[in-house]
Amino acid sequence: MRFLTALVAGVLFGGGLLLSGMTDPANVLGFLDVSGEWRPQLALVMAGAALVAAPAFRIVRRRHRSLLGEPVTLPDRTRIDAHLLTGAAIFGVGWGIAGICPGPGIVLLASGESVAWIFMAATAIGLLITGRLRSNPG
Amino acid sequence: MTLAVALRALEGGLLIGAGAATLLLLNGRVAGVSGILANALEAQPGEQGWRLAFLCGLALPALVFGVGHPQLPASWVMALLAGLLVGCGTRLGSGCTSGHGVCGLANLSRRSLAATAVFMVTAIITVLLVRHGWRP
């Protein structure tokens, strides 16, 4: 059951990315390029998504169990530390170069284009190497 | 931006939010794509299933309807470099546009607000430099 619900959640999420135009790097870079002809869609997408997700967070915070009885796993860290800020800064540079972040990156694999697969393979390598370094510091 | 484009962006955003709400309400999990991908690659076999299902679901509409004509990175070198930075950055910073930008903000997390502000600023600076060149 939880595979099916995760699949449905993924389809909704991926369908939304596709419909909103966020799988086209031109729209993402057009938002980030504040000096050119600005494309504000990304802000609408984020606002719309956060608006719908917000009540769900309020509900699970009160219940501590999902509607299927699964434990609710929410991030418990609150400290704004150097890892968070450095990581976000590095991510922003990569995002600004390609105009692709991990969600649209997965969707774009469906294009079959080799640059999309190279981007996601490199993302996976970056995730794995950094995870290794974080768990074995020094 | 025409009204039609704005409405499509808003509708797409609502769908993304519905996907995030579904995963949270039914599976009890946050829809952060970088974290789900990292754990799908590393987790124990029993913990990989729902993550792989979510990731397959993400790509499914594009497999059915196509991706249109996205302007992908011009060279594989750029794609490789950008991917490495995205992977390293999201792991170190514990999230990407979906985990911090959508879910974190929906959860009113100060950490996610800080992360989103930082990656927006460095991305904007990067685009200025890449598209409009160094002019020191």
Side-chain angles (χ1 to χ4, degrees):
Chain A
M1 189 63 188
R2 63 182 191 145
F3 298 151
L4 189 66
T5 53
L7 182 76
V8 170
V11 168
L12 289 168
F13 204 114
L17 286 172
L18 207 56
L19 179 68
S20 66
M22 291 302 111
T23 52
D24 186 348
N27 287 327
V28 175
L29 297 174
F31 173 81
L32 295 171
D33 188 352
V34 290
S35 75
E37 197 180 304
W38 192 52
R39 300 191 191 187
Q41 290 99 302
L42 190 142
L44 287 172
V45 175
M46 274 180 68
L51 204 69
V52 176
F57 277 97
R58 295 203 59 160
I59 292 168
V60 295
R61 278 208 175 278
R62 256 180 275 138
R63 293 173 48 102
H64 304 293
R65 289 258 153 194
S66 81
L67 302 179
L68 293 179
E70 304 273 341
V72 172
T73 312
L74 291 176
D76 48 6
R77 281 171 293 173
T78 54
R79 220 161 65 88
I80 296 171
D81 55 18
H83 277 172
L84 178 83
L85 299 176
T86 315
I90 294 170
F91 163 53
V93 174
W95 191 35
I97 291 174
I100 309 171
C101 51
I106 301 270
V107 176
L108 284 170
L109 291 179
S111 71
E113 294 284 345
S114 56
V115 278
W117 283 84
I118 289 168
F119 175 85
M120 279 316 294
T123 299
I125 291 167
L127 285 170
L128 293 175
I129 290 175
T130 310
R132 205 52 74 76
L133 291 175
R134 277 189 74 172
S135 53
N136 303 309
Chain B
M1 183 175 64
T2 62
L3 183 64
V5 169
L7 283 177
R8 279 212 331 176
L10 199 59
E11 285 163 14
L14 298 178
L15 264 183
I16 292 168
T22 301
L23 196 68
L24 189 62
L25 288 173
L26 297 178
N27 291 60
R29 295 288 184 158
V30 175
V33 177
S34 58
I36 290 175
L37 177 61
N39 282 305
L41 296 167
E42 286 177 348
Q44 302 299 317
E47 279 302 301
Q48 283 175 320
W50 73 266
R51 294 184 166 97
L52 293 172
F54 178 81
L55 295 172
C56 289
L58 266 185
L60 199 59
L63 283 169
V64 174
F65 299 109
V67 294
H69 304 281
Q71 279 178 32
L72 296 173
S75 77
W76 68 268
V77 181
M78 289 299 242
L80 185 78
L81 175 69
L84 283 173
L85 291 170
V86 167
C88 292
T90 54
R91 194 68 188 269
L92 191 61
S94 310
C96 57
T97 346
S98 53
H100 283 312
V102 172
C103 292
L105 295 188
N107 195 23
L108 305 177
S109 154
R110 283 179 58 237
R111 259 174 71 85
S112 290
L113 182 61
T116 305
V118 169
F119 69 62
M120 284 288 179
V121 168
T122 59
I124 287 169
I125 294 170
T126 304
V127 170
L128 283 176
L129 294 178
V130 170
R131 283 195 165 180
H132 306 289
W134 279 106
R135 290 199 189 83

